[in-house]
Amino acid sequence: MTLRLPDADGGLRTYEPRTEPLPVTPGTPFTSRTVFSAAHVVADPFADTTPDSPAAVDWDTTLAFRRHLWSHGLGVAEAMDTAQRGMGLDWAGAAELIRRSAAEAKAVGGRIACGVGTDQITGGTLAGIRAAYEEQLAVVEEAGAQAILMASRALASAARGPEDYLETYGHLLRQATEPVVLHWLGPMFAPALEGYWGSSDLDAATETFLEVIAAHPDKIDGIKVSLLDAGREVDLRRRLPRGVRCYTGDDFNYPELIAGDDQGFSHALLGIFDPLGPLAAEAVRVLDTGDTAGFRALLDPTVALSRHLFQAPTRFYKTGVVFLAWLAGHQSHFTMVGGLQSARSLPHLARAYELADGLGLFPDPKQAEERMRNLLSLYGVNQ
């Protein structure tokens, strides 16, 4: 049977769904790379909420998805941008998510790192921003998880220049009990982060970022770079102090960055590994054997899907991620906290289905086809 899928130009095209999934199996953690998947949250579809209400989370299904990622050997990057921090999930919800996921990780032996930010405040002084960071850092450390120091919208607004970033991050790093991951999230993911590290000139911002790292290399496990610029990431990772890792957050160029070159490679902390989890894990296990060509053969074909999901406005990529989780059977509905299921068009979602189905990402292709058919019918597309 075929589906009629809408195009961006208003027409319909015929698509023949795949009948068999890609054969992948769960496995052990990797040996050549450290790989985290940033994970989405599953909304409670029966909660009587509005887009402005606190997030109503289906905790059982949310944790089940993390167990799915851990079963394939992936680490979970919790309460990050992919979990809709600041776009439906407030700090109270994020704190509960951190506590629950960290406890689940301990129970199953999964690796977890959690986002530390300042989203319980919307502005304020540098002292208030430091206090907000400290509050969140304490929650993550008390939960027994590794901390990821996320970029702060409040700091981007309050900072007068590079010196405020140096002072703020230095203060936090001196307090951290274990090495953290520093996260540089570009404005394509969050426009309010324009000019982070004290300058809109990325070369100048990079120097400030490296100055923070050079002053505290023993407190930094690695950096997570989400600038969608492969050349800049490679240049940056070559300048890191020995022992400080680079975790790519580049959802456009991740295969080449993880594969690396004769001077090094990137580890990974990626939102696209939420829908790609089993396939990405299979690829990294191939890379563990030294087979870079085999790794690229598996992962390169996924880039078209990732670039589609993360196309501008990039911050709405979460809609496609949750949509694919629904089609893949990880949740029973396509509802998101904050009502974000409305953030992408039907043609965008149809193309995401087509690309994901072509990769064999759906464990039950027939179920995915039926769910896609139901969505199309809801929008008035007769089959």
Side-chain angles (χ1 to χ4, degrees):
M1 296 182 67
T2 61
L3 284 172
R4 297 169 71 217
L5 300 178
D7 284 322
D9 61 6
L12 292 171
R13 66 184 184 281
T14 300
Y15 175 71
E16 184 173 348
R18 183 173 176 140
T19 58
E20 297 293 332
L22 186 73
V24 292
T25 56
T28 57
F30 319 117
T31 58
S32 65
R33 303 290 188 273
T34 300
V35 181
F36 290 96
S37 168
H40 73 280
V41 293
V42 182
D44 178 355
F46 303 119
D48 185 11
T49 63
T50 69
D52 294 331
S53 301
V57 177
D58 178 343
W59 294 112
D60 289 343
T61 310
T62 293
L63 294 176
F65 186 76
R66 279 125 184 91
R67 292 194 296 272
H68 155 73
L69 295 173
W70 285 318
S71 76
H72 287 276
L74 296 158
V76 169
E78 189 57 276
M80 301 290 291
D81 186 61
T82 304
Q84 296 180 241
R85 288 289 292 269
M87 292 185 68
L89 187 71
D90 61 12
W91 166 236
E96 183 68 12
L97 179 64
I98 288 166
R99 294 185 183 103
R100 287 176 180 255
S101 290
E104 195 73 14
K106 185 177 181 180
V108 304
R111 183 164 187 168
I112 188 168
C114 300
V116 171
T118 63
D119 45 327
Q120 70 271 54
I121 61 173
T122 57
T125 65
L126 291 177
I129 292 166
R130 288 195 301 271
Y133 262 129
E134 289 168 348
E135 177 189 354
Q136 296 200 14
L137 180 61
V139 168
V140 171
E141 291 187 337
E142 288 168 6
Q146 184 179 19
I148 303 170
L149 292 186
M150 302 168 68
S152 163
R153 293 165 175 80
L155 181 56
S157 176
R160 295 158 296 180
E163 64 282 353
D164 287 338
Y165 289 90
L166 293 170
E167 194 282 329
T168 299
Y169 278 89
H171 176 83
L172 294 168
L173 290 168
R174 285 189 293 271
Q175 292 188 53
T177 58
E178 300 291 341
V180 307
V181 176
L182 292 185
H183 187 189
W184 186 356
L185 189 69
M188 67 288 294
F189 290 93
L193 297 178
E194 177 67 41
Y196 212 73
W197 304 110
S199 178
S200 294
D201 180 329
L202 289 180
D203 290 335
T206 296
E207 294 306 316
T208 303
F209 187 47
L210 287 168
E211 189 173 346
V212 170
I213 298 164
H216 308 276
D218 59 322
K219 288 297 188 78
I220 300 173
D221 165 66
I223 62 169
K224 194 242 182 183
V225 186
S226 300
L227 298 176
L228 304 184
D229 184 334
R232 183 169 294 277
E233 179 174 322
V234 170
D235 290 342
L236 181 55
R237 82 183 181 202
R238 289 176 179 171
R239 297 178 64 188
L240 293 175
R242 183 179 298 274
V244 176
R245 311 181 205 203
C246 180
Y247 293 92
T248 187
D250 188 331
D251 299 279
F252 284 4
N253 305 292
Y254 51 92
E256 65 188 81
L257 291 164
I258 297 170
D261 54 32
D262 58 359
Q263 296 186 55
F265 56 81
S266 294
H267 300 271
L269 198 165
L270 288 159
I272 191 56
F273 280 5
D274 180 303
L276 291 184
L279 176 55
E282 188 77 11
V284 176
R285 287 194 185 88
V286 170
L287 186 60
D288 285 347
T289 70
D291 183 0
T292 302
F295 165 79
R296 295 294 299 269
L298 281 171
L299 213 55
D300 281 1
T302 69
V303 172
L305 171 63
S306 189
R307 285 177 175 258
H308 177 73
L309 295 182
F310 285 80
Q311 69 182 221
T314 301
R315 64 188 181 278
F316 295 127
Y317 74 90
K318 298 96 164 171
T319 301
V321 166
V322 175
F323 172 66
L324 294 181
W326 170 56
L327 294 182
H330 295 298
Q331 53 195 81
S332 62
H333 59 87
F334 178 37
T335 304
M336 298 177 66
V337 298
L340 208 64
Q341 68 270 14
S342 66
R344 291 294 200 188
S345 69
L346 183 63
H348 178 91
L349 298 176
R351 181 59 176 158
Y353 162 74
E354 184 178 9
L355 290 168
D357 183 67
L359 291 168
L361 292 185
F362 302 129
D364 184 344
K366 185 63 177 176
Q367 179 189 68
E369 177 192 343
E370 290 173 353
R371 289 183 172 186
M372 188 68 219
R373 195 178 297 275
N374 288 338
L375 182 70
L376 291 167
S377 176
L378 180 65
Y379 275 80
V381 180
N382 297 318
Q383 297 298 315

